[in-house]
Amino acid sequence: MGKLHLEVVTPEKVMISQEVDIVVAPGSIGEFGVLEGHVPFLSGIVPGELRYSSANQTEHFVVTTGFAEVSDNRVSVLVDAAEKASEIDVERAQKARDRAEERLAKDRGSEDLDFIRAEAALKRAMLRIRVAEKKI
Ligand code: ATP
C-alpha cells in the first residue's frame, strides 16, 4: 500500500525503515504531513510526536531533536532519540519529570543553563508520558 519510504534514525539505531502511506512529524515551524509526491524540503525536528499510517494502522512515536529531509518519496528523519509509544518506560519518564520539576522549583526565575536543561527535560518527560498512552 505504502508509497513513501520512511526512515527514522538515531545515533543508536535505525528505529523505522518501512513503506508508509502518510507521515506526520513535529517540524521546527509546526507539524507537517507528507504524502506521496510531496515537494522536496528540509525541516528541523523538535521534541514531539511522529506518527505514520500504513495499511490503515497508525503507529505513534516520540522523537526529540534533529532534522528531516523529504525527497523522491523518501522521508529521512535523523534525531537524538526516538521511541515507539508501546516501548516507552512510563515510570522512567515520571522520574525524569519529577527530577526536572525539583530542579525548576529550586532555580525558578534564573536563566542559567541548568534551568534551560531542566525545562527541556521536563518537556521530553511530559511528551513521553502523553505519547505512551497512545500505544496500540
Ligand atoms: P532520562 O533522564 O530518563 O535519561 P532523558 O530525557 O534525559 O531521560 P534522552 O536524553 O532524551 O533521555 O534519551 C536518552 C536515551 O534514553 C535515548 O535512547 C532515549 O530513546 C531513551 N529514553 C529516555 N527516556 C525513555 C523512556 N521513558 N522510555 C524509553 N526510552 C527512553
Side-chain angles (χ1 to χ4, degrees):
M1 260 270 275
K3 304 271 171 45
L4 273 177
H5 186 79
L6 170 65
E7 198 149 271
V8 176
V9 178
T10 73
E12 283 166 15
K13 60 179 174 179
V14 178
M15 185 75 207
I16 306 170
S17 179
Q18 76 165 79
E19 305 308 306
V20 302
D21 298 323
I22 181 171
V23 182
V24 178
S28 46
I29 56 166
E31 192 174 72
F32 62 87
V34 181
L35 287 164
E36 184 189 7
H38 200 292
V39 292
F41 84 111
L42 281 173
S43 173
I45 293 288
V46 294
E49 181 188 338
L50 178 144
R51 59 188 187 275
Y52 69 78
S53 297
S54 172
N56 284 328
Q57 182 130 349
T58 303
E59 300 274 8
H60 301 264
F61 292 79
V62 159
V63 291
T64 59
T65 308
F67 66 91
E69 180 184 22
V70 179
S71 177
D72 289 334
N73 289 323
R74 288 182 71 85
V75 183
S76 306
V77 178
L78 185 60
V79 280
D80 288 337
E83 299 112 42
K84 193 173 179 173
S86 58
E87 287 164 9
I88 291 171
D89 179 341
V90 175
E91 207 175 302
R92 175 174 168 179
Q94 286 166 341
K95 285 184 181 155
R97 176 196 60 194
D98 295 347
R99 276 197 310 276
E101 280 177 345
E102 269 170 41
R103 261 178 277 148
L104 288 171
K106 249 187 257 164
D107 297 337
R108 191 166 292 285
S110 66
E111 294 276 321
D112 66 18
L113 205 55
D114 280 350
F115 186 83
I116 293 164
R117 282 202 189 117
E119 269 191 325
L122 178 60
K123 210 169 167 185
R124 289 195 299 277
M126 301 293 280
L127 173 68
R128 285 177 171 127
I129 293 165
R130 180 169 64 76
V131 174
E133 286 172 6
K134 299 192 178 180
K135 62 175 180 259
I136 309 170

